[in-house]
């Protein structure tokens, strides 16, 4: 015990591939005084029984970045650390049974090629040339990834461990962590069976035990980790003579096969095959009292349950008939953790200072390398190279109870390869947070979507409209919602509309010096008392951290309002470094909001006998009575028309909603609001506004006050960027001859034969009757009138760069009416 470390800079709890990769990347960044704790041997959890597949494919830009980095790391790791690894880069073929699946493939291919990967679409015949045992008669097409393959998970983990040790990091095997204690200065003591370790920071990388470890952090501000452990089975066949003969003749294996519409992968393993389905009739473990999680499940498996896989086995045998000629050699049925969206948790632990998560990995092998890089960046730098909101633990808030996690895990597992269409709202885990008007909205025909757990209407159906889930399974803009969204936008354009908007994140900040402190946090200025404005927070690189609306009630009293999904993220942006004497409270659940907007909005409020000054200008706010009911009115509209937001306590909202509807307002939904905001060029958080871009690149110059004395985060970086010149600029594009679909997030923008940028959001503008895309373009090409091409699901469409002003009401005359 003499060499047991009693101090460290960082302690990582969990010795799977992700924990060890985090240790390796911390050491790479110079933080070698770090310790990893593993209660058994390294890889004893999900890592040891993982199949080890290594795709780069993803429809998430962030996850693809992470996987791309992993594969690049793995190619050179064995030589770097002098540790042999079985890493077979065989390439992979994904099968498409439908036009929609080929469109998904084309979108992923565009993102991958932008990132330097070489995915390509192939015909069924081309796939059969690569994989002669494949039946292709019913396929629409295929996607080929030359970089895909498989790696030995244990060897990968041990190689990373060796590299970490070579740089000076320590690994304590057979050393269970038993708890944590945080001290008043924010440092930690991690308790273990071998003794205590004092450290600055702690990482929960405990795999399917991450929820148990997470409970230790609850006394220090933590929450229950949102996850469920699923049972995943795959089996290995005996040797197949035909496969062996082909492999010996060709000198290489067949590509890894994924039939994503049937939901399985099929991989050559030696001279047999490995079949791994993601079955609809899947099973979670350790979720009921009669199936408790054991204290130690190291190197253990669940009992075989191949009956669940019967349909998938038969389907795979029809697709690759040689599969049916061999017996089953071995079955693996092991635990795999699932977060509610199937993506891992990497980043700051919500509510807990100096604690991080790198856990709940469903595909930890292919993501492990990139995950270690991202986790180390969070720990050392407090920020990441790429925007990683897709996997940030703070994307989940208080609605993720175990019922929700279980429902979503089963849904995601059973649709592991499911297509995430832009208008599809997955049904599991719904109705966790309801507006005070929820039943009324449903009765009006509201077709709901979930926003940070809050149910909001996306559009309002009429009698006879197809509201089935199947109707939403298209990438096209056309669907039963389209005529209704058009009508809703026209109602806002010509009359007045009302949107029930529960779940706005809202924080109150007060105390002597609150104004001065806030000036030192935001890039711009503060509004006067009774006024409001937009404020942008940058990181120290000048990149866009978040956007908040700031309402000023008094010299040092503010309400800050932000996106629903940003609730925990933005509270931490404000709370981190909050001086003593200032008070910050989260009032999100106590109040709600109605957006009342359109050229007849003022007439509506006057007709309701509103007790407020309706002549006050744009960006003013005031206490008011509408139809005799207490509320606050804010003169602002994300829809780009004359309008107000009504903010009121939840108890007052139903009567206010009834009064506004009774006065003639037409209910509209989130789909219409998105269309309306695109026409104004208003940015959306974590699409157009992310840490992938600086405030200057985002076209937010007018919200920066370089001449103010406060040295806000990112000021020096932004000044340097301004002097050096921008590499990218924010642009608004309109499609010259639009096709059936609008540009999704991260569609490639081409100037001639060169990749020049990417879209950040897109949709149809019903007031201007155009397909619109917002995006980032190489600065020298970002000239109004320039013609570019946008890759939309594999087809290129000509587009025009518009003037740097709103497409609708460019002078904002309607807003200020």
């Amino acid at each position: 015990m003499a060499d047991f470390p009693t101090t460290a800079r960082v302690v990582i709890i969990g010795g799977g591939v992700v924990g060890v990769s985090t240790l390796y990347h911390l050491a790479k960044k110079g933080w070698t005084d770090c310790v990893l704790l593993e209660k058994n041997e390294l890889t004893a959890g999900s890592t040891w029984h993982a199949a080890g597949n290594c795709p780069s494919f993803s429809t998430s830009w962030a996850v693809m970045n992470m996987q791309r980095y992993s594969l690049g790391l793995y190619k050179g790791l064995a030589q770097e650390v002098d540790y042999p690894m079985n890493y077979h880069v065989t390439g992979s073929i994904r099968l498409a049974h439908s036009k929609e699946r080929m469109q998904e493939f084309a979108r992923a291919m565009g993102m991958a090629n932008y990132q330097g990967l070489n995915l390509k679409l192939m015909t069924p015949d081309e796939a059969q040339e690569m994989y002669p045992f494949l039946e292709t008669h019913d396929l629409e097409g295929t996607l080929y990834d030359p970089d895909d393959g498989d790696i030995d998970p244990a060897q990968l983990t041990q190689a990373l461990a060796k590299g970490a040790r070579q740089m000076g990091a320590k690994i304590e095997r057979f050393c269970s962590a038993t708890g944590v204690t945080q001290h008043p200065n924010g440092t930690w003591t991690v308790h273990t069976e071998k003794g205590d370790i004092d450290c600055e920071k702690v990482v929960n990388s405990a795999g399917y035990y991450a929820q148990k470890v997470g409970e230790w952090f609850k006394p220090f501000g933590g929450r229950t980790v949102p996850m469920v452990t699923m049972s995943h089975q795959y089996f290995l066949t005996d040797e197949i003579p035909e496969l062996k003969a082909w492999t010996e003749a060709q000198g290489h294996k067949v590509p890894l096969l994924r039939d994503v519409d049937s939901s399985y992968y099929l991989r050559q393993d030696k001279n047999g095959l490995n079949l791994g389905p993601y079955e609809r009739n899947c099973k979670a473990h350790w979720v009921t009292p009669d199936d408790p999680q054991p204290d130690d499940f190291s190197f253990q498996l669940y009992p075989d349950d191949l009956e669940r896989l019967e349909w998938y086995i038969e389907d795979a045998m029809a697709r690759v008939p040689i599969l049916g000629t061999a017996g089953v050699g071995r079955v693996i049925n092991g635990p795999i953790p699932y977060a509610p969206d199937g993506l891992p948790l990497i980043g700051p632990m919500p509510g807990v200072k100096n604690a991080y998560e790198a856990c709940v990995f469903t595909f930890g092998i292919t993501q492990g390398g990139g995950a270690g890089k991202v986790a180390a960046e969070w720990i050392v730098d407090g920020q990441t190279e790429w925007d990683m909101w897709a996997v940030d633990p703070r994307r989940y808030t208080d609605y993720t109870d175990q019922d929700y996690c279980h429902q979503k895990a089963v849904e995601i597992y059973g649709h592991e390869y499911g297509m995430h269409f832009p208008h599809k709202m997955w049904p599991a885990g719904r109705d966790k947070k309801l507006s005070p008007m929820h039943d009324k909205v449903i009765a009006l025909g509201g077709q709901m979507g979930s926003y940070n757990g809050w149910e909001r209407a996306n559009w309002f159906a009429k009698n006879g409209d197809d509201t089935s889930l199947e109707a939403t399974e298209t990438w096209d803009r056309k669907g039963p919602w389209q005529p209704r969204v058009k009508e809703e936008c026209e109602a806002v354009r010509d009359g007045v509309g009302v949107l029930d908007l529960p779940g706005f994140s809202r924080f109150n900040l007060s105390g002597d010096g609150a104004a001065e402190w806030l000036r030192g946090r935001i890039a711009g200025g503060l509004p006067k008392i009774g006024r409001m404005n937009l404020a942008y927070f940058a990181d120290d690189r000048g990149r866009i951290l978040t956007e908040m609306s700031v309402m000023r009630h008094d010299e040092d009293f503010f309400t800050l309002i932000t996106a629903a999904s940003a609730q925990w993220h933005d509270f931490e942006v404000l709370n981190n470094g909050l001086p003593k004497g200032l008070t910050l409270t989260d009032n999100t659940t106590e109040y709600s909001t109605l957006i009342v907007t359109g050229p007849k909005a003022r007439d509506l409020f006057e007709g309701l006998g509103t007790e407020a000054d309706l002549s006050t200008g744009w960006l003013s706010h005031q206490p008011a009575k509408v139809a005799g009911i207490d509320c606050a009115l804010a003169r602002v509209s994300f829809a780009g028309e004359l309008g107000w937001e009504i903010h009121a306590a939840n108890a007052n909202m139903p009567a206010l909603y009834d009064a506004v509807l009774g006065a003639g307002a037409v209910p509209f939904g989130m789909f219409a609001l998105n269309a309306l905001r695109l026409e104004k060029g208003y940015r959306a958080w974590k699409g157009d506004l992310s840490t992938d871009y600086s405030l200057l690149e985002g076209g937010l110059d007018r919200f920066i006050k370089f001449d103010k004395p406060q040295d806000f985060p990112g000021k020096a970086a932004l000044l340097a960027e301004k002097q050096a010149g921008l590499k990218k600029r924010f642009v608004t594009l309109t499609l010259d001859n639009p096709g059936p679909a609008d540009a999704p997030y991260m569609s490639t923008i081409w100037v001639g034969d060169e990749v020049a940028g990417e879209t950040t959001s897109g949709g149809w503008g019903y007031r201007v009757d155009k397909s619109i895309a917002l995006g980032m373009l190489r600065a020298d090409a970002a000239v109004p009138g320039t013609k570019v091409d946008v890759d939309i699901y594999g087809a290129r469409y000509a587009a025009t760069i518009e003037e740097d002003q709103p497409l609708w009401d460019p002078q904002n005359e309607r807003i200020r009416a």
Side-chain angles (χ1 to χ4, degrees), residues 650-720:
N650 289 329
N652 291 348
M653 292 305 292
L656 287 164
Y657 192 53
D658 284 344
V660 170
L661 288 171
V666 174
F668 68 101
M670 296 299 291
F671 289 171
L673 184 64
N674 187 58
L676 295 163
R677 70 97 187 169
L678 284 168
E679 294 172 308
K680 295 296 292 182
Y682 294 159
R683 281 67 151 171
W685 191 66
K686 288 306 178 190
D688 315 299
L689 302 171
S690 82
T691 57
D692 282 332
Y693 310 114
S694 75
L695 268 66
L696 292 172
E697 288 175 331
L700 303 172
D701 312 49
R702 67 188 185 281
F703 298 101
I704 305 172
K705 290 186 70 173
F706 285 115
D707 58 350
K708 69 177 184 177
Q710 293 82 11
D711 189 22
F712 59 88
K715 184 176 184 178
L718 289 166
L719 283 168

Side-chain angles (χ1 to χ4, degrees), residues 387-407:
D387 189 282
M388 295 305 296
W389 179 246
V391 298
D392 194 305
R394 296 167 294 182
R395 71 189 187 273
Y396 294 118
T397 62
D398 55 355
Y399 63 95
T400 57
D401 57 20
Q402 282 305 106
D403 170 69
Y404 174 85
C405 292
H406 188 187
Q407 286 190 50

Side-chain angles (χ1 to χ4, degrees), residues 161-197:
K162 184 177 181 183
R165 289 187 181 108
Q166 286 172 345
M167 290 181 279
K170 292 184 175 64
I171 295 175
E172 289 292 325
R173 298 171 302 135
F174 303 100
C175 181
S176 292
T178 57
V180 296
T181 300
Q182 189 168 40
H183 307 292
N185 64 355
T187 63
W188 295 92
T189 296
V190 178
H191 310 292
T192 83
E193 291 177 346
K194 295 183 180 180
D196 290 348
I197 306 176

